[in-house]
Amino acid sequence: MRTTELSRLLLALGLFTGAAACGDESAGTGPAHDPERTGVRARQVSDAWEGSKAAQTWREGYFPLDDAVQLPEGAFRNEADKHAYETQNFELRAPLSADPPAKGEVRWRGGGSLTVPVSSARAAYEKLARGRNPGPSLVVTGARLGTMTLSTSRGPATVPAWHFTVAGYDTPLRRVAAGPSKLPPPPIKPVARTSDALHPLAGLTSVSADGRTVVLRAHHGSCDEGPAVDVLETGDNVVFSAWIRGRSDGPCTDDLRSREVTVELDRPAGDRLLLDAFTGRPVPYDSPMGSPAPSWD
């Protein structure tokens, strides 16, 4: 893989600062995957988070790990509606307030609640309607403040959400209205540079209902066999180490690709932190629309 492929990602994440913890890699090709070596980094990340102030903040806060939008029942009626949603092409035919409501409340199914800021109907709509093209559109005819249930770092929770009435649908399109808690500073620095041995994950796609199967999205290039992920499980957290399989030395196109990797855990994820060995941070939710969950905006 060419260094520039992942360099663009790392520059966007601001990860070129910080001390290397997996060896001294140069700007060229780094060392091949070494499970023992990456295992050392994974253990460092796990130990740094266990019992840390950052872990306490994460467990006490509201960090959504689910898509910010829930579609109406029966969506979509046709390909035109589907295309309109995918291109974020909406048409507004009702006034929406730009004034945010009073504080809202997140309530966890397992107990506990938290007061959170709530966005205005106008702000929530503008996050949905970013498309500006002459193609088909979804028509919004009204909005009211309600709730929706989604996954968070503390399990399922009921959160404030705007319910948008969409022409042609009997149930509303819901969009999260609750502002997330501030992400805690990680207790460990990221690895300084990417290599075949270790590179950052793109995000968390899903966790199965029983908590045993985790689907992650990982990056790779055009001259390899795709990404793979090693796992370190402890009672407090789960650390994922992403690496690249079967890299070849032939001419490569300069592009950054991604692929889903399914990981089976020894026991349910539960309330354990899901961490990225490269970044030293919790793995962000990977939205199907290509944008992070609200915590990671």
Side-chain angles (χ1 to χ4, degrees), residues 74-90:
F76 294 98
R77 299 175 303 168
N78 50 51
E79 287 299 317
D81 281 5
K82 182 178 179 181
H83 180 73
Y85 178 72
E86 290 175 345
T87 56
Q88 297 182 297
N89 219 34
F90 286 77

Side-chain angles (χ1 to χ4, degrees), residues 47-184:
D47 290 348
W49 275 89
E50 185 170 358
S52 67
K53 182 178 180 180
Q56 180 181 353
T57 300
W58 179 263
R59 289 196 167 98
E60 292 176 352
Y62 160 59
F63 299 101
L65 300 176
D66 214 342
D67 196 25
V69 177
Q70 292 178 356
L71 298 174
E73 293 178 12
F76 294 98
R77 299 175 303 168
N78 50 51
E79 287 299 317
D81 281 5
K82 182 178 179 181
H83 180 73
Y85 178 72
E86 290 175 345
T87 56
Q88 297 182 297
N89 219 34
F90 286 77
E91 180 182 349
L92 183 61
R93 294 185 183 174
L96 296 179
S97 174
D99 297 325
K103 297 285 186 176
E105 189 172 52
V106 175
R107 290 186 174 274
W108 279 272
R109 186 177 299 172
S113 63
L114 183 69
T115 299
V116 291
V118 176
S119 65
S120 69
R122 169 63 68 173
Y125 173 79
E126 288 176 352
K127 289 184 177 181
L128 286 171
R130 290 172 173 165
R132 298 290 188 273
N133 62 72
S137 61
L138 291 170
V139 177
V140 172
T141 59
R144 68 176 181 84
L145 187 61
T147 62
M148 63 187 277
T149 300
L150 48 69
S151 299
T152 75
S153 59
R154 294 167 57 179
T158 300
V159 305
W162 285 104
H163 292 204
F164 292 99
T165 305
V166 180
Y169 293 90
D170 295 331
T171 59
L173 180 152
R174 297 174 174 87
R175 210 281 176 189
V176 171
S181 302
K182 183 179 179 180
L183 284 167

Side-chain angles (χ1 to χ4, degrees), residues 195-234:
S195 72
D196 289 355
L198 190 65
H199 66 104
L201 286 161
L204 169 69
T205 299
S206 66
V207 179
S208 63
D210 63 4
R212 295 289 295 273
T213 303
V214 178
V215 180
L216 304 157
R217 184 168 294 280
H219 291 289
H220 68 108
S222 59
C223 291
D224 56 62
E225 297 175 5
V229 178
D230 292 342
V231 184
L232 172 67
E233 293 189 53
T234 72

